[in-house]
């Protein structure tokens, strides 16, 4: 027998999360998650799932039937899109202007497909002209994949224009909306997006671990006409949807849904619907402007040019001679405040201040500015 370890219950402090995610969770969402667990085929739970699907459709602004939440984080949503839609040997144009575009490229390679990379400098948006040139040069390409809101740099790409190009060249689009959903304008049906995924822990301010996903009718057609089975059993949408749709009132077991986490997502999306999507987009922008004014007063400079700056992810250069890790450690220790470190090419060079979901509010902005001012002096 191994001796039994004795620990006290884990009681984390209440931090203020202003990094790249997870963001501050709504108190109502934490309360929802603590409600009694029911069976994942309980008729009451199934009713909640139907509402959850409508709420995800609202957040994405889509009528897509194939809309659900993957029982895993945003990275699994990314993988869901690639493994279901892309077949070995197919060509995918991948836009890379930060960490997550590079991960999309790796997904393409892992499904045995061919990635044609369109590179844009870190901190800049995806360039539609470069994308059009790649679409012209690769008439056999089947997909264009890009990140709407690059969390590693804070750059927003023009999803509407990019998706219009995709349609014009007869391809399907795969869009990463992990950080954009709920924080900036996003209209899946109007912009003609074919496959999209997000994450629960960024602008939805839900607990981490779920990924809303939606496929257009054209993407569903592509999935139906596959010549090879989806190599991932767990992420195979044709199997998962038997659980997420109550065809003839019957759902079948695929995997045990993360019951309590889905209560949490239901509550966070319900709060988003109550606020109204457009009001939420405006609140993120308003809080960004307040933060920007304060950061500029402190002499801090943004990584991204104003026209393509994400309101919910503010990447700023670390001032000359300032100890990156020491500042972030003091913010955490003295103010219970978490801001993000730089990622990839911006590691050690930038901080990332998130204003996501419940975190995008005046008191957070004020605390962050005061704490930065005190620590930097
Ligand atoms: C956070 C993030 C992901 C990954 O999501 P996880 O929930 O961490 O797996 C993917 N893409 C973007 C743009 C992100 O910001």
């Amino acid at each position: 027998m191994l001796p039994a370890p004795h620990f006290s219950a884990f009681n984390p402090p209440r931090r203020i999360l202003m990094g790249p995610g997870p963001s501050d969770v709504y108190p109502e969402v934490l309360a929802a998650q603590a409600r009694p667990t029911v069976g994942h085929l309980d008729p009451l739970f199934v009713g909640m799932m139907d509402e959850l699907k409508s709420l995800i459709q609202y957040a994405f602004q889509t009528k897509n039937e194939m809309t659900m939440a993957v029982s895993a984080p945003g990275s699994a949503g990314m993988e869901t899109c690639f493994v279901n839609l892309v077949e070995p040997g197919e060509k995918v144009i991948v836009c890379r202007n930060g960490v997550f575009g590079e991960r999309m490229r790796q997904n393409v390679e892992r499904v045995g497909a061919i990635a044609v990379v369109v590179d844009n400098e870190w901190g800049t948006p995806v360039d539609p002209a470069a994308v059009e040139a790649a679409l012209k040069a690769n008439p056999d390409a089947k997909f264009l994949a890009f990140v709407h809101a690059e969390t590693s740099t804070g750059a927003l790409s023009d999803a509407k224009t990019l998706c219009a190009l995709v349609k014009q060249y007869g391809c399907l689009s795969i869009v990463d909306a992990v950080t954009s959903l709920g924080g900036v304008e996003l209209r899946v049906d109007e912009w003609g997006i074919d496959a999209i995924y997000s994450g629960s822990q960024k602008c939805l301010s839900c607990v981490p671990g779920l990924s809303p996903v939606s496929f257009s009718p054209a993407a569903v057609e592509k999935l139906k006409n596959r010549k090879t089975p989806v190599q991932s059993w767990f992420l195979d949408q044709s199997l998962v949807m038997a659980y997420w749709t109550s065809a003839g009132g019957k759902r079948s077991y695929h995997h045990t849904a993360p019951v309590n986490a889905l209560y949490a997502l239901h509550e966070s999306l319900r709060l988003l619907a109550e606020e109204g999507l457009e009001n939420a987009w405006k609140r993120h922008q308003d809080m960004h402007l307040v933060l920007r004014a304060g950061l500029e007063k402190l002499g801090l400079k943004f990584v991204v040019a104003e026209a393509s700056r994400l309101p919910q992810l503010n990447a700023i250069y670390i001032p000359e001679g300032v100890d990156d890790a020491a500042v972030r450690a003091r913010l955490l220790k003295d103010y219970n405040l978490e801001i993000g470190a730089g990622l990839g090419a911006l590691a050690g060079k930038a901080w990332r201040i998130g204003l996501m979901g419940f975190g995008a509010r005046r008191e957070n902005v004020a605390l962050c500015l005061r704490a930065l001012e005190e620590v930097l002096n």
Side-chain angles (χ1 to χ4, degrees):
M1 282 285 281
L2 284 173
H6 290 287
F7 299 120
S8 29
F10 179 61
N11 265 307
R14 187 168 292 281
R15 305 275 204 214
I16 295 117
L17 300 178
M18 298 184 74
S23 60
D24 272 356
V25 176
Y26 286 107
E28 294 92 328
V29 169
L30 287 177
Q33 195 177 25
R35 288 179 192 138
T37 303
V38 297
H40 66 113
L41 291 168
D42 186 300
L44 290 175
F45 185 68
V46 165
M48 192 282 291
M49 299 239 330
D50 284 335
E51 289 185 9
L52 181 51
K53 181 168 161 182
S54 308
L55 286 164
I56 300 172
Q57 287 171 324
Y58 169 72
F60 276 137
Q61 289 292 290
T62 184
K63 295 199 174 103
N64 287 343
E65 256 319 297
M66 195 175 272
T67 298
M68 41 77 75
V70 175
S71 303
S75 306
M78 182 188 288
E79 195 144 343
T80 295
C81 293
F82 288 98
V83 299
N84 279 278
L85 298 177
V86 182
E87 289 186 79
E90 287 183 336
K91 202 182 252 189
V92 183
I93 300 174
V94 182
C95 305
R96 183 168 61 181
N97 60 338
V99 164
F100 295 102
E102 164 56 19
R103 287 196 183 174
M104 285 180 139
R105 186 197 65 77
Q106 291 173 15
N107 268 268
V108 170
E109 306 233 307
R110 291 209 179 197
V111 303
I114 302 149
V116 176
V117 177
V118 173
D119 267 315
N120 280 112
E121 212 177 304
W122 282 54
T124 68
V126 173
D127 175 17
V131 165
E132 181 154 31
L135 285 163
K136 251 189 205 140
N138 296 278
D140 54 337
K142 292 268 200 313
F143 299 91
L144 177 83
F146 69 91
V147 179
H148 186 204
E150 220 344 312
T151 323
S152 60
T153 67
L156 175 68
S157 288
D158 182 352
K160 185 181 179 183
T161 299
L162 293 172
C163 289
L165 278 172
V166 170
K167 281 265 139 28
Q168 196 185 320
Y169 286 84
C171 292
L172 296 175
S173 51
I174 297 178
V175 179
D176 179 316
V178 176
T179 284
S180 59
L181 185 66
V184 285
E185 184 180 15
L186 171 63
R187 302 175 193 274
V188 168
D189 285 0
E190 206 181 305
W191 296 353
I193 293 171
D194 291 298
I196 190 158
Y197 59 92
S198 188
S200 50
Q201 80 280 25
K202 308 222 175 170
C203 293
L204 302 182
S205 275
C206 182
V207 294
L210 292 169
S211 175
V213 166
S214 186
F215 283 9
S216 73
V220 173
E221 239 352 82
K222 177 80 173 70
L223 171 59
K224 277 193 184 140
N225 292 320
R226 283 184 68 103
K227 287 170 216 75
T228 53
V230 174
Q231 76 269 25
S232 164
W233 181 87
F234 183 69
L235 297 178
D236 185 338
Q237 283 296 87
S238 43
L239 302 178
V240 175
M241 285 314 284
Y243 177 61
W244 274 87
T245 38
S246 30
K250 210 167 151 38
R251 276 172 199 254
S252 52
Y253 167 66
H254 176 261
H255 65 276
T256 307
V259 171
N260 293 58
L262 290 174
Y263 301 165
L265 185 62
H266 178 277
E267 183 62 12
S268 71
L269 289 168
R270 198 189 66 74
L271 290 169
L272 177 64
E274 201 170 84
E275 178 178 16
L277 256 184
E278 285 170 316
N279 293 331
W281 298 339
K282 180 167 185 309
R283 176 170 51 83
H284 283 86
Q285 180 62 19
D286 290 347
M287 290 305 100
H288 160 71
L289 293 177
V290 179
L291 179 71
R292 184 189 78 181
L295 291 173
E296 285 173 350
K297 233 183 245 165
L298 294 175
L300 296 162
K301 304 245 176 317
F302 277 83
V303 170
V304 177
E306 195 162 342
S308 44
R309 234 174 246 168
L310 281 171
Q312 65 270 51
L313 196 287
N314 298 265
I316 47 169
Y317 287 111
I318 299 168
E320 204 72 44
V322 167
D323 184 339
D324 170 22
V327 168
R328 284 185 293 106
R330 262 201 71 197
L331 291 175
L332 197 63
K333 188 168 155 287
D334 297 347
Y335 301 85
N336 264 319
L337 173 65
E338 179 182 277
I339 65 166
L343 193 61
L346 291 172
K349 297 195 180 113
W351 289 319
R352 293 178 299 153
I353 302 177
L355 289 174
M356 297 182 175
F358 180 54
R361 59 189 204 281
R362 231 164 250 283
E363 63 207 86
N364 275 22
V365 174
L367 170 79
C368 179
L369 289 172
R370 182 167 58 82
L372 269 177
E373 182 175 13
E374 287 174 6
V375 171
L376 287 176
N377 286 332

